[in-house]
Amino acid sequence: MDKLIIDWQQLPTYNTVMAVASGAALLSLATIGRSLINNQKVNPKGWAMNLFTLALILITTGLHMTVTWPLAKYFPFDNIIFGEPSLVLGAMLLPIAYYLWKHEKDVVENENRMQAIAANFRHFKYLMVGIGLGMIGIAFAGVIYQLFAAPKEEPISGMFADYPMFEAVCISLVYAGIGIAAVIMPSTLEKLTQGNHNNNTVKFAYFLLTLVGWVWLLFGALNYFTHIGLIINTMG
């Protein structure tokens, strides 16, 4: 069997750091929300620095991947699948980071801080619903067109190369989870604005953000090994 050779000059890839940053961002948002709801001791400026760092990574990589068309000559859909969602997430993190930094005193001392924060950021609702539906669309595309399958030359992931639907379904479920979380987030923020912290929608949103956040973070970290192995195994 002929060895797979890839011209990596025509196939730039850096969705490793994008996946790690996206997972970290989702987990950070879930943790921040839970801390505020449970009236735990908080550190707004620390959160702000964390979110700003993640926003910087996601905006720069997401913007470059979005406007460089196609970034990958052989996989132009990567621009849409990885670039655009990362750019949107990074863009939303920036004002959240600014708010936490600027209003540190209110976030620490205000008894109704979660209501105040939710009241401000519920105005993201149209973007949240739009990108959420887009993520669900990516999930359907992943299954229908059997995307995300790794070649045999990629360590670990390549073990499922003969079963392309397996990885297509797994990754698509993650996209669907993020999409559902984004779609229900406006309703979640509305409940929080009303002071309804124990609503099932709020709990479900936290569960989804935490679950897909960990999956995305760990998958991105794993790709630092698998992508390096793929590059080494397919160099001419």
Side-chain angles (χ1 to χ4, degrees):
M1 183 176 179
D2 293 335
K3 176 184 176 182
L4 174 65
I5 302 297
I6 295 176
D7 181 3
W8 287 102
Q9 290 184 349
Q10 301 294 326
L11 193 65
T13 178
Y14 48 73
N15 54 13
T16 42
V17 69
M18 297 168 80
V20 168
S22 295
L26 296 175
L27 288 170
S28 296
L29 292 174
T31 301
I32 290 171
R34 182 184 62 181
S35 298
L36 292 171
I37 289 173
N38 293 336
N39 288 318
Q40 297 174 351
K41 184 177 180 181
V42 298
N43 181 7
K45 285 196 172 179
W47 288 344
M49 288 188 289
N50 171 50
L51 295 182
F52 178 79
T53 300
L54 296 171
L56 184 64
I57 295 171
L58 291 169
I59 289 176
T60 52
T61 56
L63 181 62
H64 180 250
M65 186 178 282
T66 297
V67 301
T68 306
W69 187 268
L71 178 68
K73 179 179 178 181
Y74 306 109
F75 302 101
F77 46 80
D78 279 0
N79 294 60
I80 298 173
I81 293 174
F82 299 114
E84 295 184 17
S86 295
L87 176 59
V88 171
L89 177 57
M92 286 196 293
L93 291 178
L94 271 184
I96 298 174
Y98 174 78
Y99 181 92
L100 292 171
W101 185 277
K102 187 73 174 178
H103 299 276
E104 178 189 18
K105 184 176 180 181
D106 287 341
V107 175
V108 172
E109 299 178 359
N110 188 354
E111 293 182 0
N112 299 318
R113 55 194 179 183
M114 190 67 248
Q115 291 174 246
I117 293 172
N120 281 292
F121 291 104
R122 65 180 174 176
H123 297 293
F124 279 141
K125 60 184 177 182
Y126 300 116
L127 180 57
M128 289 178 181
V129 171
I131 195 63
L133 293 174
M135 300 289 278
I136 294 172
I138 291 173
F140 276 104
V143 173
I144 292 171
Y145 300 109
Q146 295 187 22
L147 306 178
F148 311 121
K152 292 182 179 180
E153 288 76 9
E154 182 171 337
I156 302 177
S157 301
M159 296 170 59
F160 306 100
D162 293 331
Y163 310 96
M165 188 58 76
F166 176 77
E167 194 160 5
V169 170
C170 289
I171 302 300
S172 291
L173 283 175
V174 178
Y175 272 97
I178 299 173
I180 294 171
V183 168
I184 68 172
M185 194 54 62
S187 176
T188 302
L189 293 174
E190 189 66 35
K191 298 294 183 184
L192 293 174
T193 300
Q194 299 168 0
N196 190 351
H197 297 168
N198 294 317
N199 185 271
N200 288 333
T201 304
V202 176
K203 295 178 180 179
F204 184 59
Y206 170 76
F207 168 77
L208 271 183
L209 286 179
T210 303
L211 176 63
V212 296
W214 274 117
V215 171
W216 220 226
L217 179 78
L218 296 175
F219 183 72
L222 176 67
N223 281 344
Y224 274 95
F225 169 70
T226 62
H227 283 194
I228 290 173
L230 175 63
I231 292 171
I232 291 175
N233 291 338
T234 57
M235 291 171 59

